[in-house]
Amino acid sequence: MSFTGKYELQSQENFEPFMKALGLPEDQIQKGKDLKSISEIVQDGKKFKVTVTTGTKVMKNEFTIGEESELEMLNGEKVKAVVQMEGDNKLVTQLKGMKSVTELNGDTITHTMTLGDLTFKRVSKRI
């Protein structure tokens, strides 16, 4: 299953508490909570390019499944991590104690991030 496509954010759960836990300033959290982000994913075999545009902020990550890559976190911090694929529709990685799971089902991507006992969930649909 190919992840390639553009996806628009439909819903999110626990945005504010999760961003606070990541250390984002309150004004950035308030600005970002109502913005609809667009994620563009280009998959070429095991190589991925992910561009997430939220308002004027653009976050780009490139990685190859199973290889260490430098990834930008939601707070702008760059960390080294290895992204693994489970089955043919799930990307899983650990970033500084945070687990990130991106699952593709048909035209819907569900991105779940877990930090301690806090879970942030985003659901996006292919456009």
Side-chain angles (χ1 to χ4, degrees), residues 54-88:
T54 308
T56 56
K57 183 172 175 9
V58 179
M59 187 171 81
K60 291 184 180 186
N61 281 315
E62 291 187 32
F63 58 89
T64 301
I65 299 297
E67 294 180 13
E68 187 176 74
S69 310
E70 187 175 74
L71 300 174
E72 184 180 346
M73 292 179 50
L74 294 169
N75 60 2
E77 188 179 345
K78 292 192 186 303
V79 294
K80 293 208 180 293
V82 177
V83 180
Q84 300 291 354
M85 186 171 274
E86 292 180 6
D88 64 352

PDB file of all heavy atoms in Angstrom, residues 54-88:
ATOM      1  N   THR A  54       1.290  23.770   8.099  1.00  0.00           N
ATOM      2  CA  THR A  54       0.263  24.253   9.021  1.00  0.00           C
ATOM      3  C   THR A  54       0.374  25.763   9.060  1.00  0.00           C
ATOM      4  O   THR A  54       1.329  26.303   9.620  1.00  0.00           O
ATOM      5  CB  THR A  54       0.486  23.663  10.440  1.00  0.00           C
ATOM      6  OG1 THR A  54       0.602  22.246  10.323  1.00  0.00           O
ATOM      7  CG2 THR A  54      -0.673  24.002  11.359  1.00  0.00           C
ATOM      8  N   GLY A  55      -0.575  26.447   8.418  1.00  0.00           N
ATOM      9  CA  GLY A  55      -0.475  27.902   8.326  1.00  0.00           C
ATOM     10  C   GLY A  55       0.785  28.256   7.557  1.00  0.00           C
ATOM     11  O   GLY A  55       0.981  27.810   6.436  1.00  0.00           O
ATOM     12  N   THR A  56       1.690  29.021   8.202  1.00  0.00           N
ATOM     13  CA  THR A  56       2.938  29.416   7.533  1.00  0.00           C
ATOM     14  C   THR A  56       4.090  28.481   7.897  1.00  0.00           C
ATOM     15  O   THR A  56       5.177  28.596   7.354  1.00  0.00           O
ATOM     16  CB  THR A  56       3.331  30.848   7.932  1.00  0.00           C
ATOM     17  OG1 THR A  56       3.435  30.911   9.357  1.00  0.00           O
ATOM     18  CG2 THR A  56       2.308  31.861   7.456  1.00  0.00           C
ATOM     19  N   LYS A  57       3.869  27.572   8.832  1.00  0.00           N
ATOM     20  CA  LYS A  57       4.943  26.665   9.269  1.00  0.00           C
ATOM     21  C   LYS A  57       4.979  25.429   8.368  1.00  0.00           C
ATOM     22  O   LYS A  57       3.967  24.791   8.126  1.00  0.00           O
ATOM     23  CB  LYS A  57       4.703  26.243  10.721  1.00  0.00           C
ATOM     24  CG  LYS A  57       5.810  25.355  11.274  1.00  0.00           C
ATOM     25  CD  LYS A  57       5.627  25.127  12.752  1.00  0.00           C
ATOM     26  CE  LYS A  57       6.588  24.174  13.381  1.00  0.00           C
ATOM     27  NZ  LYS A  57       7.695  23.680  12.686  1.00  0.00           N
ATOM     28  N   VAL A  58       6.181  25.129   7.867  1.00  0.00           N
ATOM     29  CA  VAL A  58       6.380  23.955   7.027  1.00  0.00           C
ATOM     30  C   VAL A  58       7.421  23.061   7.683  1.00  0.00           C
ATOM     31  O   VAL A  58       8.524  23.508   7.998  1.00  0.00           O
ATOM     32  CB  VAL A  58       6.835  24.349   5.601  1.00  0.00           C
ATOM     33  CG1 VAL A  58       7.069  23.107   4.749  1.00  0.00           C
ATOM     34  CG2 VAL A  58       5.803  25.249   4.940  1.00  0.00           C
ATOM     35  N   MET A  59       7.057  21.812   7.920  1.00  0.00           N
ATOM     36  CA  MET A  59       7.979  20.851   8.527  1.00  0.00           C
ATOM     37  C   MET A  59       8.234  19.756   7.502  1.00  0.00           C
ATOM     38  O   MET A  59       7.290  19.164   6.980  1.00  0.00           O
ATOM     39  CB  MET A  59       7.310  20.262   9.785  1.00  0.00           C
ATOM     40  CG  MET A  59       8.216  19.391  10.602  1.00  0.00           C
ATOM     41  SD  MET A  59       7.434  18.947  12.182  1.00  0.00           S
ATOM     42  CE  MET A  59       6.384  17.608  11.669  1.00  0.00           C
ATOM     43  N   LYS A  60       9.514  19.519   7.196  1.00  0.00           N
ATOM     44  CA  LYS A  60       9.864  18.500   6.206  1.00  0.00           C
ATOM     45  C   LYS A  60      10.724  17.425   6.859  1.00  0.00           C
ATOM     46  O   LYS A  60      11.668  17.745   7.588  1.00  0.00           O
ATOM     47  CB  LYS A  60      10.658  19.112   5.047  1.00  0.00           C
ATOM     48  CG  LYS A  60       9.840  20.024   4.179  1.00  0.00           C
ATOM     49  CD  LYS A  60      10.636  20.515   2.997  1.00  0.00           C
ATOM     50  CE  LYS A  60       9.774  21.431   2.152  1.00  0.00           C
ATOM     51  NZ  LYS A  60      10.410  21.827   0.928  1.00  0.00           N
ATOM     52  N   ASN A  61      10.381  16.189   6.597  1.00  0.00           N
ATOM     53  CA  ASN A  61      11.186  15.064   7.068  1.00  0.00           C
ATOM     54  C   ASN A  61      11.387  14.089   5.921  1.00  0.00           C
ATOM     55  O   ASN A  61      10.457  13.816   5.167  1.00  0.00           O
ATOM     56  CB  ASN A  61      10.492  14.342   8.240  1.00  0.00           C
ATOM     57  CG  ASN A  61      10.684  15.079   9.552  1.00  0.00           C
ATOM     58  OD1 ASN A  61      11.778  15.513   9.874  1.00  0.00           O
ATOM     59  ND2 ASN A  61       9.605  15.231  10.298  1.00  0.00           N
ATOM     60  N   GLU A  62      12.619  13.578   5.818  1.00  0.00           N
ATOM     61  CA  GLU A  62      12.920  12.535   4.845  1.00  0.00           C
ATOM     62  C   GLU A  62      13.546  11.386   5.598  1.00  0.00           C
ATOM     63  O   GLU A  62      14.392  11.593   6.466  1.00  0.00           O
ATOM     64  CB  GLU A  62      13.904  13.042   3.784  1.00  0.00           C
ATOM     65  CG  GLU A  62      13.300  14.074   2.868  1.00  0.00           C
ATOM     66  CD  GLU A  62      14.236  14.443   1.717  1.00  0.00           C
ATOM     67  OE1 GLU A  62      15.009  13.576   1.265  1.00  0.00           O
ATOM     68  OE2 GLU A  62      14.179  15.606   1.278  1.00  0.00           O
ATOM     69  N   PHE A  63      13.111  10.160   5.266  1.00  0.00           N
ATOM     70  CA  PHE A  63      13.690   9.005   5.940  1.00  0.00           C
ATOM     71  C   PHE A  63      13.564   7.774   5.057  1.00  0.00           C
ATOM     72  O   PHE A  63      12.773   7.741   4.114  1.00  0.00           O
ATOM     73  CB  PHE A  63      13.011   8.757   7.299  1.00  0.00           C
ATOM     74  CG  PHE A  63      11.529   8.545   7.226  1.00  0.00           C
ATOM     75  CD1 PHE A  63      10.989   7.278   7.048  1.00  0.00           C
ATOM     76  CD2 PHE A  63      10.654   9.625   7.334  1.00  0.00           C
ATOM     77  CE1 PHE A  63       9.618   7.091   6.983  1.00  0.00           C
ATOM     78  CE2 PHE A  63       9.280   9.438   7.275  1.00  0.00           C
ATOM     79  CZ  PHE A  63       8.762   8.161   7.091  1.00  0.00           C
ATOM     80  N   THR A  64      14.395   6.784   5.378  1.00  0.00           N
ATOM     81  CA  THR A  64      14.348   5.483   4.717  1.00  0.00           C
ATOM     82  C   THR A  64      14.037   4.456   5.795  1.00  0.00           C
ATOM     83  O   THR A  64      14.664   4.468   6.863  1.00  0.00           O
ATOM     84  CB  THR A  64      15.700   5.162   4.034  1.00  0.00           C
ATOM     85  OG1 THR A  64      15.975   6.194   3.081  1.00  0.00           O
ATOM     86  CG2 THR A  64      15.665   3.823   3.327  1.00  0.00           C
ATOM     87  N   ILE A  65      13.070   3.591   5.528  1.00  0.00           N
ATOM     88  CA  ILE A  65      12.659   2.570   6.488  1.00  0.00           C
ATOM     89  C   ILE A  65      13.883   1.769   6.950  1.00  0.00           C
ATOM     90  O   ILE A  65      14.679   1.313   6.138  1.00  0.00           O
ATOM     91  CB  ILE A  65      11.616   1.611   5.858  1.00  0.00           C
ATOM     92  CG1 ILE A  65      10.362   2.367   5.432  1.00  0.00           C
ATOM     93  CG2 ILE A  65      11.274   0.453   6.791  1.00  0.00           C
ATOM     94  CD1 ILE A  65       9.589   3.020   6.539  1.00  0.00           C
ATOM     95  N   GLY A  66      14.032   1.645   8.264  1.00  0.00           N
ATOM     96  CA  GLY A  66      15.107   0.825   8.831  1.00  0.00           C
ATOM     97  C   GLY A  66      16.451   1.519   8.953  1.00  0.00           C
ATOM     98  O   GLY A  66      17.398   0.931   9.464  1.00  0.00           O
ATOM     99  N   GLU A  67      16.560   2.773   8.495  1.00  0.00           N
ATOM    100  CA  GLU A  67      17.838   3.498   8.577  1.00  0.00           C
ATOM    101  C   GLU A  67      17.680   4.716   9.479  1.00  0.00           C
ATOM    102  O   GLU A  67      16.625   5.348   9.505  1.00  0.00           O
ATOM    103  CB  GLU A  67      18.286   3.974   7.182  1.00  0.00           C
ATOM    104  CG  GLU A  67      18.634   2.833   6.252  1.00  0.00           C
ATOM    105  CD  GLU A  67      19.085   3.326   4.882  1.00  0.00           C
ATOM    106  OE1 GLU A  67      19.369   4.539   4.727  1.00  0.00           O
ATOM    107  OE2 GLU A  67      19.153   2.491   3.970  1.00  0.00           O
ATOM    108  N   GLU A  68      18.766   5.051  10.199  1.00  0.00           N
ATOM    109  CA  GLU A  68      18.706   6.219  11.084  1.00  0.00           C
ATOM    110  C   GLU A  68      18.596   7.500  10.249  1.00  0.00           C
ATOM    111  O   GLU A  68      19.295   7.664   9.253  1.00  0.00           O
ATOM    112  CB  GLU A  68      19.959   6.277  11.967  1.00  0.00           C
ATOM    113  CG  GLU A  68      19.858   7.383  13.008  1.00  0.00           C
ATOM    114  CD  GLU A  68      21.036   7.407  13.958  1.00  0.00           C
ATOM    115  OE1 GLU A  68      22.127   7.835  13.534  1.00  0.00           O
ATOM    116  OE2 GLU A  68      20.862   6.995  15.111  1.00  0.00           O
ATOM    117  N   SER A  69      17.689   8.360  10.650  1.00  0.00           N
ATOM    118  CA  SER A  69      17.477   9.640   9.961  1.00  0.00           C
ATOM    119  C   SER A  69      17.339  10.732  10.998  1.00  0.00           C
ATOM    120  O   SER A  69      17.033  10.464  12.158  1.00  0.00           O
ATOM    121  CB  SER A  69      16.180   9.606   9.156  1.00  0.00           C
ATOM    122  OG  SER A  69      16.102   8.464   8.350  1.00  0.00           O
ATOM    123  N   GLU A  70      17.547  11.978  10.558  1.00  0.00           N
ATOM    124  CA  GLU A  70      17.292  13.111  11.442  1.00  0.00           C
ATOM    125  C   GLU A  70      15.882  13.593  11.151  1.00  0.00           C
ATOM    126  O   GLU A  70      15.558  13.928  10.017  1.00  0.00           O
ATOM    127  CB  GLU A  70      18.307  14.230  11.190  1.00  0.00           C
ATOM    128  CG  GLU A  70      18.174  15.344  12.211  1.00  0.00           C
ATOM    129  CD  GLU A  70      19.245  16.405  12.058  1.00  0.00           C
ATOM    130  OE1 GLU A  70      19.151  17.195  11.097  1.00  0.00           O
ATOM    131  OE2 GLU A  70      20.162  16.426  12.880  1.00  0.00           O
ATOM    132  N   LEU A  71      15.035  13.590  12.182  1.00  0.00           N
ATOM    133  CA  LEU A  71      13.641  13.979  12.018  1.00  0.00           C
ATOM    134  C   LEU A  71      13.339  15.204  12.859  1.00  0.00           C
ATOM    135  O   LEU A  71      13.841  15.333  13.977  1.00  0.00           O
ATOM    136  CB  LEU A  71      12.717  12.825  12.453  1.00  0.00           C
ATOM    137  CG  LEU A  71      12.889  11.511  11.690  1.00  0.00           C
ATOM    138  CD1 LEU A  71      12.031  10.425  12.312  1.00  0.00           C
ATOM    139  CD2 LEU A  71      12.542  11.686  10.221  1.00  0.00           C
ATOM    140  N   GLU A  72      12.506  16.087  12.311  1.00  0.00           N
ATOM    141  CA  GLU A  72      12.088  17.278  13.052  1.00  0.00           C
ATOM    142  C   GLU A  72      10.814  16.940  13.826  1.00  0.00           C
ATOM    143  O   GLU A  72       9.856  16.424  13.272  1.00  0.00           O
ATOM    144  CB  GLU A  72      11.824  18.442  12.091  1.00  0.00           C
ATOM    145  CG  GLU A  72      11.490  19.733  12.813  1.00  0.00           C
ATOM    146  CD  GLU A  72      11.234  20.902  11.881  1.00  0.00           C
ATOM    147  OE1 GLU A  72      11.554  20.804  10.680  1.00  0.00           O
ATOM    148  OE2 GLU A  72      10.716  21.915  12.368  1.00  0.00           O
ATOM    149  N   MET A  73      10.837  17.252  15.120  1.00  0.00           N
ATOM    150  CA  MET A  73       9.663  17.005  15.955  1.00  0.00           C
ATOM    151  C   MET A  73       8.709  18.183  15.847  1.00  0.00           C
ATOM    152  O   MET A  73       9.038  19.216  15.278  1.00  0.00           O
ATOM    153  CB  MET A  73      10.097  16.783  17.412  1.00  0.00           C
ATOM    154  CG  MET A  73      10.881  15.483  17.591  1.00  0.00           C
ATOM    155  SD  MET A  73      11.455  15.165  19.272  1.00  0.00           S
ATOM    156  CE  MET A  73      10.017  15.406  20.278  1.00  0.00           C
ATOM    157  N   LEU A  74       7.521  18.043  16.441  1.00  0.00           N
ATOM    158  CA  LEU A  74       6.497  19.094  16.376  1.00  0.00           C
ATOM    159  C   LEU A  74       6.957  20.397  17.007  1.00  0.00           C
ATOM    160  O   LEU A  74       6.486  21.459  16.662  1.00  0.00           O
ATOM    161  CB  LEU A  74       5.222  18.617  17.083  1.00  0.00           C
ATOM    162  CG  LEU A  74       4.509  17.447  16.399  1.00  0.00           C
ATOM    163  CD1 LEU A  74       3.442  16.879  17.307  1.00  0.00           C
ATOM    164  CD2 LEU A  74       3.919  17.877  15.080  1.00  0.00           C
ATOM    165  N   ASN A  75       7.898  20.319  17.953  1.00  0.00           N
ATOM    166  CA  ASN A  75       8.394  21.533  18.615  1.00  0.00           C
ATOM    167  C   ASN A  75       9.610  22.123  17.899  1.00  0.00           C
ATOM    168  O   ASN A  75      10.240  23.043  18.402  1.00  0.00           O
ATOM    169  CB  ASN A  75       8.715  21.251  20.085  1.00  0.00           C
ATOM    170  CG  ASN A  75       9.775  20.173  20.253  1.00  0.00           C
ATOM    171  OD1 ASN A  75      10.312  19.655  19.278  1.00  0.00           O
ATOM    172  ND2 ASN A  75      10.062  19.838  21.490  1.00  0.00           N
ATOM    173  N   GLY A  76       9.957  21.571  16.726  1.00  0.00           N
ATOM    174  CA  GLY A  76      11.070  22.103  15.938  1.00  0.00           C
ATOM    175  C   GLY A  76      12.409  21.457  16.242  1.00  0.00           C
ATOM    176  O   GLY A  76      13.380  21.639  15.517  1.00  0.00           O
ATOM    177  N   GLU A  77      12.472  20.679  17.321  1.00  0.00           N
ATOM    178  CA  GLU A  77      13.717  20.011  17.693  1.00  0.00           C
ATOM    179  C   GLU A  77      14.021  18.900  16.693  1.00  0.00           C
ATOM    180  O   GLU A  77      13.121  18.198  16.241  1.00  0.00           O
ATOM    181  CB  GLU A  77      13.532  19.421  19.097  1.00  0.00           C
ATOM    182  CG  GLU A  77      14.793  18.860  19.691  1.00  0.00           C
ATOM    183  CD  GLU A  77      14.570  18.307  21.099  1.00  0.00           C
ATOM    184  OE1 GLU A  77      13.533  18.607  21.723  1.00  0.00           O
ATOM    185  OE2 GLU A  77      15.442  17.566  21.548  1.00  0.00           O
ATOM    186  N   LYS A  78      15.308  18.748  16.339  1.00  0.00           N
ATOM    187  CA  LYS A  78      15.695  17.682  15.420  1.00  0.00           C
ATOM    188  C   LYS A  78      16.319  16.539  16.225  1.00  0.00           C
ATOM    189  O   LYS A  78      17.171  16.781  17.076  1.00  0.00           O
ATOM    190  CB  LYS A  78      16.702  18.204  14.387  1.00  0.00           C
ATOM    191  CG  LYS A  78      16.074  19.203  13.422  1.00  0.00           C
ATOM    192  CD  LYS A  78      16.995  19.477  12.262  1.00  0.00           C
ATOM    193  CE  LYS A  78      16.536  20.555  11.329  1.00  0.00           C
ATOM    194  NZ  LYS A  78      15.269  20.424  10.725  1.00  0.00           N
ATOM    195  N   VAL A  79      15.869  15.332  15.964  1.00  0.00           N
ATOM    196  CA  VAL A  79      16.376  14.157  16.677  1.00  0.00           C
ATOM    197  C   VAL A  79      16.653  13.033  15.682  1.00  0.00           C
ATOM    198  O   VAL A  79      16.048  12.973  14.621  1.00  0.00           O
ATOM    199  CB  VAL A  79      15.372  13.651  17.748  1.00  0.00           C
ATOM    200  CG1 VAL A  79      15.196  14.663  18.850  1.00  0.00           C
ATOM    201  CG2 VAL A  79      14.034  13.313  17.139  1.00  0.00           C
ATOM    202  N   LYS A  80      17.585  12.156  16.062  1.00  0.00           N
ATOM    203  CA  LYS A  80      17.884  10.997  15.222  1.00  0.00           C
ATOM    204  C   LYS A  80      16.968   9.854  15.632  1.00  0.00           C
ATOM    205  O   LYS A  80      16.758   9.614  16.817  1.00  0.00           O
ATOM    206  CB  LYS A  80      19.347  10.584  15.378  1.00  0.00           C
ATOM    207  CG  LYS A  80      20.296  11.621  14.813  1.00  0.00           C
ATOM    208  CD  LYS A  80      21.584  10.996  14.347  1.00  0.00           C
ATOM    209  CE  LYS A  80      22.558  11.999  13.772  1.00  0.00           C
ATOM    210  NZ  LYS A  80      22.132  12.615  12.536  1.00  0.00           N
ATOM    211  N   ALA A  81      16.406   9.186  14.633  1.00  0.00           N
ATOM    212  CA  ALA A  81      15.482   8.089  14.912  1.00  0.00           C
ATOM    213  C   ALA A  81      15.461   7.130  13.730  1.00  0.00           C
ATOM    214  O   ALA A  81      15.879   7.474  12.626  1.00  0.00           O
ATOM    215  CB  ALA A  81      14.089   8.632  15.168  1.00  0.00           C
ATOM    216  N   VAL A  82      14.981   5.921  13.986  1.00  0.00           N
ATOM    217  CA  VAL A  82      14.814   4.918  12.936  1.00  0.00           C
ATOM    218  C   VAL A  82      13.321   4.641  12.799  1.00  0.00           C
ATOM    219  O   VAL A  82      12.651   4.327  13.774  1.00  0.00           O
ATOM    220  CB  VAL A  82      15.561   3.608  13.288  1.00  0.00           C
ATOM    221  CG1 VAL A  82      15.322   2.549  12.211  1.00  0.00           C
ATOM    222  CG2 VAL A  82      17.055   3.873  13.458  1.00  0.00           C
ATOM    223  N   VAL A  83      12.812   4.793  11.579  1.00  0.00           N
ATOM    224  CA  VAL A  83      11.396   4.508  11.310  1.00  0.00           C
ATOM    225  C   VAL A  83      11.294   3.070  10.794  1.00  0.00           C
ATOM    226  O   VAL A  83      12.041   2.685   9.890  1.00  0.00           O
ATOM    227  CB  VAL A  83      10.810   5.491  10.274  1.00  0.00           C
ATOM    228  CG1 VAL A  83       9.345   5.179   9.995  1.00  0.00           C
ATOM    229  CG2 VAL A  83      10.966   6.933  10.748  1.00  0.00           C
ATOM    230  N   GLN A  84      10.407   2.295  11.395  1.00  0.00           N
ATOM    231  CA  GLN A  84      10.178   0.914  10.965  1.00  0.00           C
ATOM    232  C   GLN A  84       8.798   0.812  10.334  1.00  0.00           C
ATOM    233  O   GLN A  84       7.910   1.611  10.651  1.00  0.00           O
ATOM    234  CB  GLN A  84      10.240  -0.042  12.171  1.00  0.00           C
ATOM    235  CG  GLN A  84      11.564  -0.034  12.918  1.00  0.00           C
ATOM    236  CD  GLN A  84      12.715  -0.638  12.119  1.00  0.00           C
ATOM    237  OE1 GLN A  84      12.547  -1.185  11.030  1.00  0.00           O
ATOM    238  NE2 GLN A  84      13.918  -0.521  12.670  1.00  0.00           N
ATOM    239  N   MET A  85       8.627  -0.173   9.455  1.00  0.00           N
ATOM    240  CA  MET A  85       7.306  -0.405   8.888  1.00  0.00           C
ATOM    241  C   MET A  85       6.760  -1.707   9.454  1.00  0.00           C
ATOM    242  O   MET A  85       7.475  -2.697   9.514  1.00  0.00           O
ATOM    243  CB  MET A  85       7.351  -0.464   7.363  1.00  0.00           C
ATOM    244  CG  MET A  85       5.949  -0.554   6.756  1.00  0.00           C
ATOM    245  SD  MET A  85       5.908  -0.372   4.975  1.00  0.00           S
ATOM    246  CE  MET A  85       5.844   1.392   4.799  1.00  0.00           C
ATOM    247  N   GLU A  86       5.505  -1.650   9.916  1.00  0.00           N
ATOM    248  CA  GLU A  86       4.824  -2.855  10.382  1.00  0.00           C
ATOM    249  C   GLU A  86       3.730  -3.162   9.375  1.00  0.00           C
ATOM    250  O   GLU A  86       2.893  -2.303   9.094  1.00  0.00           O
ATOM    251  CB  GLU A  86       4.228  -2.633  11.776  1.00  0.00           C
ATOM    252  CG  GLU A  86       5.290  -2.483  12.856  1.00  0.00           C
ATOM    253  CD  GLU A  86       4.704  -2.273  14.246  1.00  0.00           C
ATOM    254  OE1 GLU A  86       3.467  -2.348  14.409  1.00  0.00           O
ATOM    255  OE2 GLU A  86       5.498  -2.017  15.168  1.00  0.00           O
ATOM    256  N   GLY A  87       3.746  -4.374   8.849  1.00  0.00           N
ATOM    257  CA  GLY A  87       2.799  -4.722   7.788  1.00  0.00           C
ATOM    258  C   GLY A  87       3.105  -3.868   6.574  1.00  0.00           C
ATOM    259  O   GLY A  87       4.253  -3.519   6.322  1.00  0.00           O
ATOM    260  N   ASP A  88       2.082  -3.477   5.814  1.00  0.00           N
ATOM    261  CA  ASP A  88       2.325  -2.616   4.649  1.00  0.00           C
ATOM    262  C   ASP A  88       1.653  -1.267   4.803  1.00  0.00           C
ATOM    263  O   ASP A  88       1.576  -0.494   3.863  1.00  0.00           O
ATOM    264  CB  ASP A  88       1.858  -3.309   3.358  1.00  0.00           C
ATOM    265  CG  ASP A  88       0.352  -3.541   3.329  1.00  0.00           C
ATOM    266  OD1 ASP A  88      -0.318  -3.316   4.362  1.00  0.00           O
ATOM    267  OD2 ASP A  88      -0.165  -3.947   2.276  1.00  0.00           O
TER     268      ASP A  88
END
